[in-house]
Amino acid sequence: MACVYIPVQNTLEEVKVVLDQLPRDAADILDILKAEQAPLHLWLTFAREYFKQGKMKEFLQILEEGSSPEIDEYYQDVKYERIAILNALGAYYTNLGKIELKQREKDEYFMRATHYYNKVSHIDQHEPSTWVGKGQLLLAKGELDQSYSQFKIALEEQKDNIPALLGQACVEFNRGHFQESLNLYKTVLQLHPGCPASVRLGIGLCRYRLGQPKKAREAFNRTLQLDPENVEALVALGIMDLNTNEIEDVHEGMTKMQAAFEIHPFCAMALNHLANHYFFTGDHYIVEQLMDMAFVATDHPRMKAHSFFNLARSHHSKGDYERASVYYRASVNELKDPHDFILPYYGLGQVQLKLGDLKTALSNFEKVLEVHPENCESLKAVGYIFLQQGRLEKALQTFKKATRINPRDVDAWIEMGELLLSSDLVAALDAFNTAHSLLKKGRDPMPTGLLNNIGVLHFERGEFELAQRAFCEALGDGFWRNVTTGLLPGDVPLPAVYGDRDEFFYQLENEGVSLEVPAGKITVIFNLARLFEQQHQSDKAVILYQLILFKHPKYVDAHIRLAAMAQARNNISLSMELVNRALKEDEINADALSFRGNLELRADDWLKAKETLKGIQSMSDGKDSYSTLALGNWNYYAATRGEKKDPKLEATHLEKARELYQKVLVQRPNNLYAANGLGVVLAEKGLFDISKDIFTQVQEAASGNITVQMPDVWINLAHVFVGQGQFGLAVKMYQNCLRRFYFNTETNVLLYLARSHYEAEQWQECKSVLLRAIHLAPSNYMLRFDAAIAMQKFSTATLQKSKRSADEVRQSVSELKNALRLFSQLSGISSQHSHGFDEKKIEMHVEYCKHLLDAAKVHLEAAEREEQQNKQKQELARQAAMAEEARRKAEEERKLQMERRKREEELKRVLEQEEYFERIKETWKVQGREKFHAEDNDGEGGANEKKEKRKEKRKRKKEKRSKEQDSEWEEKDDVEGEPQAGLQNEELEEGAQDALAAAGLLEDSDEEDAMEKEAIPPRRIRRKHAVADSDEEDMGIQDSPAAAIPNKNESDVEVPENRFLEDSEEETFDTSTALEAKKRRISDSESE
Amino acid sequence: MVGERESERAERGQGGGERAKRERERERERESERERKGRERGREGGRMKIASLKTLANAHHDGVWAATWVPAADGRPALLMTGSADESVKLWRADGLELERSNTGHSLGVVAVAAHPAGTMAASTSLDSFVRVFDVESNATLAALETRPSEAWQMQFHPKGELLAVAGGGSASVKLFNTSTWKADAVLLVSKGDVSDIKLSEKTGGKFVLSVAWSLDGKRLACSTMDGTIAIFDVNRGKLLHFLEGHFMPVRSLVFSPTDSRVLFTASDDMHVHMYDTENTTLISAMSGHASWVLSVDVSPDGSAIATGSSDRTVRLWDLKTRASIQTMNDHTDQVWAVTFRPPGGEGVRVGRLASASEDKSISLYDYS
């Protein structure tokens, strides 16, 4: 039993104080100490004893008393003890300051400590322990450099001052100079081999930090040898074991941790590590207990943060997000700097995300990213938050970064792909495919949603095979595989039942075929069915839709698709039945209701359609743009509906339609259909330029998107061209449209095409287009009527031509016969059925054709005569030409002969002369030489002269000859020219007469026939007049023969409208698949 | 989160072996399936196939609307007969598609051609509603049957050749002409009541009769209309037996199986080819795949395949065992108005031939094997 003896003053007696039984009140001791004037070292001893027993107050009391001025005075000589007391106080406050969290008090403690140290310095400047103390203080304050210099001073005073050495080692360690620190520790060990185990601990830590785990381990082990209860060493060893990640070592590590725990249950580090372990083993209860203990054990903020984190994590994994969030926050609050310990921020972010607090979650993840800018998980979380907040661009950037950092992160690729869906389908598909191949490589389970999305994207790009592969992969095995191959078990082809197939399914189930449709696969099956539908494999599509409905009758979209397919096959009653079935499942399904409205419109059930559409409007607060659009169309149809036209009503309907279209455009500025509708209304009002602009823009937009099929806008644009008289352009536009969208099967467009030709007076083209149309739609007698008109027009036009061949006339006569035949046949029919023509009108045409035919006979005769004459003329001309040729030849011959003769004569003459000359020469030879010369000259000159003369003569002859020829030609011209001119004149007169007759006939037969070109509007106005004036029978269509064609002009915008309704219907459904896919995806991520 | 990852990994580690096993199993399954498919394909490949032999561009001056084979006769091989919008009927020799003769005489386009089973005479119809019957050898007109407008559309001779059935268009009837007297033997109405029932509504074209087909034994006659109605007649009793349901759009072509008198194939604007049992009026199969109207259908002489022509510009071959499209030909650039298999018979003609005619003015010949 340790005792302290206080010597009693002036005696040899001593007061024995048992250290274990120190009086509770330090004042008692102090009294004794003071009274006996005990040596100062005893004061210290007592203070230390109180300290050891945790009685801080008493400790302080003694030391403060011991450092009071009186004592200083009294013990003035006792330097060392006084210094020790002050140093002890300084060290105490240093420690307090180190532990204290609140900055103000911390500063105060440090100030006090400084105060004591300064006091010491007054007593003795050279005392090393003071310097050491100061060093410690500065170390605690974090002023490493200054503290280092303090320790240095201490060492200068005393080379082997161990505390100073240790202090320096500590500074170096904190500075990260592990090698230097290690050296210092080594020095200490050399100086003082028996030093406490903690020095070896320091060595171990340095070694550890220097990356020498083996030596570190040796050091720790040595520490434990020396001090088997050294918790730090145990924990350090434990951590090292745990970090090896080897199962055995981890186990070993855990035992060490447990040992540490048993030795000192309040070592927070060990507790935290233990908790960490139990967290992974899932023993959340133990985690909580350990952490409770840890909180008691430590005030160290970082340790506490760890403990809170462990607790929070435990709650987090249990799904108790509220409490997890509380603890995470507590953990975060313990930390001054996220750099110290980042995990709780991440955890907090996650929990807040789960709790829907996006903003704070975001700030926490951003803190994580500040510390670890390349942390993929946080990047993804941040990206997800951006996505949720609708900041798509930022979200995209974040995910891009995440995939760049970790190109193997499947989730990031998937998220990125989804983000790209709205902007860049190609890139989205790439992202999905990357994710897909990563998963495949990793042999990880493939999420159905991903495959579905890949499939949908391929689908939208028209890559049907790839799409099918993706969908099939997503679906795996099941009955759908039979459907895909088209063969039921046992290689039986799929049966063809169009209506209800439940029977068939029951039968299959009875045969043991599993028809289960897991909820997660409905969407994929639906999409696969859509794919088959797109590829026109409707049998497979139908059976898949029906399979879905067999198991999930509430899947309205499948009902609607089936209805749409029935509608496409013109099976309206079945279609209606299916829609009604869908509505039975879901009364307020806007899609189904829209579809019903559309069907009713098709069935000419105007009022019902309007009611249905209005119903959707009121349900959706007018936000449903499809029904708004459809109502716009409704009004438009109502405005242009044929028979009973009221200009006032027409105007109101048009105005209403315009309003509705514009409303849609306000809601959705990109709605092509509404823009198109607006263009139509404007065109209807005659504002061709504006409507043309609109149509052109819509057309551009529609051609840029392969999923949009919008022939209407092409047709409308062509209509505008027709309206503006640009028939060539219109024809091109119609033809392109027919080819591009209708496989050349749409008779209405053919009719428009024919009309453009008609307007351009291209009768033959018009007729041929109409014949094609008749071939496509033989039951449309109107087409025959139009064709007859075209033929009649052709004939009239040909006969009116001032110049035409007999062949042309003959052709026009045969056309006329065809027309007549068609007209008379139509008149026969129209008495039997109502085909929408007026019998009288046809009769009139029949009569007209007959007249024309009679007239044409004259024409034909004339033409034939003319032809005959022409032939004769030609013959004559030919003969004349031949005669002339012969004559010319003869003449030439003659001339040649003459010339020859002349030449011969001349030659003869020359010869004669020569002979003569020879003869003379003979005589001259006899005469004198000079004479000969002269004669010779003369002779030569004479010959020359003669030659010249001859030349001249020839020239003149030539001239004469050419003159002769010229005049001959002239003559010929005269001969041919005159009769011809006469003939032409005759002919012209005749032609003019005929033309007059024809024109007269035209006017006679049909005043408002409007056969001749007239602008469209006046014609329409006149017709209205007719209706208004005379309340005759239905004048609507059969009004005039030409009206049959202009009538198209009216129907023109009507028919395409019909179409466009369908299209927009389809459009909604297509997007619905995409939406579907997206929805699916979101639900996936939710389930994650 | 870190924890979750960790535990996940652990789970994966455990599940790895099992999954690998599953993977292997699946692999094996797939392999066996591949094998099976391969075998099937091998079988099919050996059975039927068409291959383009020749495409004659500009065979006519305008779209070719009709085509049929004139059976071999008197040592003359079978000829391909085509009718066109250019108002001519042309006869071609296979396999070179050399022009044998060009017949004129129609005004407006030729919509249908038909050949007598004996191969001696043939008939052609044009939009002006004349049916011209002529001698194949001499092109002498044997008869000119005039009908009311568009009361003559497709035609077919009775398998024995005694009658010519003419689809009566707007008259909603089929007319049967006696091939020796050229008098109308009978008129079969596409209605169970009387004429007044028939109304031609503008939208569907009503009961405008487009096409006719004789059954193999000549006892049954089928006709199709614009509104998709298909009527089956008992010819001997002159009675309408029943309608076949399923089409709601024009059926432009139909043909009986040459091997089973009950089976009828119909091609419709609804992009489908239907296969009916005409006796119990059931729809056996609805074959889809064309992207637009199916304009023409014909059965191979062996009855195991059908060919279809469509306005989607393709010719398709269908296997009747699997009822699936097995081949798609793209020789044409516009609507394919007619497909026709060459009937067997004639000297040295053992190989199968298929011909197609198109709006693009061309005709194509294929080898069928």
Side-chain angles (χ1 to χ4, degrees), chain A residues 820-834:
Chain A
L820 177 60
R821 200 173 133 78
L822 276 177
F823 280 132
S824 42
Q825 282 169 333
L826 283 171
S827 89
I829 274 194
S830 58
S831 59
Q832 208 177 353
H833 312 293
S834 105

Short mmCIF file of all heavy atoms in Angstrom, two decimals, chain A residues 820-834:
data_model
loop_
_atom_site.label_atom_id
_atom_site.label_comp_id
_atom_site.label_asym_id
_atom_site.label_seq_id
_atom_site.Cartn_x
_atom_site.Cartn_y
_atom_site.Cartn_z
N LEU A 820 -69.08 8.19 -125.06
CA LEU A 820 -70.51 8.02 -125.29
C LEU A 820 -70.99 6.71 -124.68
O LEU A 820 -72.00 6.65 -123.99
CB LEU A 820 -70.78 8.04 -126.81
CG LEU A 820 -72.23 7.82 -127.24
CD1 LEU A 820 -73.12 8.91 -126.63
CD2 LEU A 820 -72.36 7.82 -128.74
N ARG A 821 -70.20 5.68 -124.90
CA ARG A 821 -70.56 4.37 -124.39
C ARG A 821 -70.65 4.41 -122.87
O ARG A 821 -71.60 3.93 -122.26
CB ARG A 821 -69.48 3.38 -124.82
CG ARG A 821 -69.91 1.95 -124.78
CD ARG A 821 -68.80 1.11 -125.39
NE ARG A 821 -68.54 -0.03 -124.54
CZ ARG A 821 -69.32 -1.11 -124.52
NH1 ARG A 821 -70.38 -1.18 -125.29
NH2 ARG A 821 -69.02 -2.11 -123.74
N LEU A 822 -69.62 5.02 -122.27
CA LEU A 822 -69.61 5.11 -120.81
C LEU A 822 -70.82 5.90 -120.31
O LEU A 822 -71.51 5.47 -119.38
CB LEU A 822 -68.32 5.78 -120.33
CG LEU A 822 -67.12 4.86 -120.19
CD1 LEU A 822 -65.90 5.66 -119.78
CD2 LEU A 822 -67.40 3.78 -119.14
N PHE A 823 -71.06 7.03 -120.97
CA PHE A 823 -72.19 7.85 -120.52
C PHE A 823 -73.50 7.10 -120.63
O PHE A 823 -74.31 7.09 -119.70
CB PHE A 823 -72.27 9.15 -121.34
CG PHE A 823 -71.30 10.20 -120.89
CD1 PHE A 823 -70.50 10.86 -121.81
CD2 PHE A 823 -71.19 10.55 -119.55
CE1 PHE A 823 -69.62 11.84 -121.41
CE2 PHE A 823 -70.30 11.52 -119.14
CZ PHE A 823 -69.50 12.17 -120.08
N SER A 824 -73.67 6.46 -121.76
CA SER A 824 -74.97 5.80 -121.93
C SER A 824 -75.10 4.62 -120.97
O SER A 824 -76.17 4.35 -120.44
CB SER A 824 -75.19 5.37 -123.38
OG SER A 824 -74.02 4.82 -123.92
N GLN A 825 -73.95 3.95 -120.73
CA GLN A 825 -74.02 2.85 -119.75
C GLN A 825 -74.33 3.37 -118.36
O GLN A 825 -75.13 2.81 -117.62
CB GLN A 825 -72.70 2.10 -119.74
CG GLN A 825 -72.56 1.16 -120.93
CD GLN A 825 -71.16 0.63 -121.05
OE1 GLN A 825 -70.22 1.27 -120.62
NE2 GLN A 825 -71.04 -0.53 -121.66
N LEU A 826 -73.70 4.50 -118.04
CA LEU A 826 -73.96 5.08 -116.73
C LEU A 826 -75.41 5.49 -116.61
O LEU A 826 -76.03 5.33 -115.56
CB LEU A 826 -73.06 6.30 -116.51
CG LEU A 826 -71.61 6.00 -116.15
CD1 LEU A 826 -70.79 7.27 -116.19
CD2 LEU A 826 -71.53 5.35 -114.78
N SER A 827 -75.94 6.00 -117.68
CA SER A 827 -77.34 6.43 -117.60
C SER A 827 -78.21 5.21 -117.40
O SER A 827 -79.22 5.27 -116.70
CB SER A 827 -77.72 7.21 -118.86
OG SER A 827 -78.20 6.32 -119.85
N GLY A 828 -77.80 4.09 -117.99
CA GLY A 828 -78.54 2.86 -117.77
C GLY A 828 -78.49 2.44 -116.31
O GLY A 828 -79.49 2.05 -115.71
N ILE A 829 -77.30 2.57 -115.75
CA ILE A 829 -77.13 2.15 -114.35
C ILE A 829 -77.87 3.06 -113.40
O ILE A 829 -78.53 2.61 -112.47
CB ILE A 829 -75.63 2.18 -114.00
CG1 ILE A 829 -75.01 0.86 -114.40
CG2 ILE A 829 -75.44 2.41 -112.52
CD1 ILE A 829 -73.68 0.65 -113.81
N SER A 830 -77.75 4.36 -113.66
CA SER A 830 -78.24 5.30 -112.64
C SER A 830 -79.74 5.18 -112.45
O SER A 830 -80.27 5.58 -111.42
CB SER A 830 -77.85 6.73 -113.00
OG SER A 830 -78.38 7.04 -114.27
N SER A 831 -80.41 4.62 -113.46
CA SER A 831 -81.83 4.42 -113.25
C SER A 831 -82.05 3.29 -112.25
O SER A 831 -83.06 3.23 -111.57
CB SER A 831 -82.52 4.09 -114.59
OG SER A 831 -81.93 2.91 -115.11
N GLN A 832 -81.05 2.42 -112.16
CA GLN A 832 -81.21 1.26 -111.29
C GLN A 832 -80.70 1.54 -109.86
O GLN A 832 -81.34 1.25 -108.89
CB GLN A 832 -80.42 0.10 -111.88
CG GLN A 832 -81.00 -1.23 -111.50
CD GLN A 832 -80.23 -2.33 -112.18
OE1 GLN A 832 -79.37 -2.10 -113.02
NE2 GLN A 832 -80.53 -3.55 -111.81
N HIS A 833 -79.53 2.08 -109.79
CA HIS A 833 -78.96 2.37 -108.47
C HIS A 833 -78.73 3.87 -108.38
O HIS A 833 -78.63 4.55 -109.37
CB HIS A 833 -77.62 1.68 -108.29
CG HIS A 833 -77.64 0.26 -108.68
ND1 HIS A 833 -78.36 -0.68 -107.99
CD2 HIS A 833 -77.01 -0.39 -109.68
CE1 HIS A 833 -78.17 -1.86 -108.57
NE2 HIS A 833 -77.36 -1.71 -109.60
N SER A 834 -78.55 4.28 -107.17
CA SER A 834 -78.17 5.68 -107.04
C SER A 834 -76.66 5.76 -106.90
O SER A 834 -76.07 5.21 -105.97
CB SER A 834 -78.85 6.29 -105.82
OG SER A 834 -77.95 6.45 -104.78
#
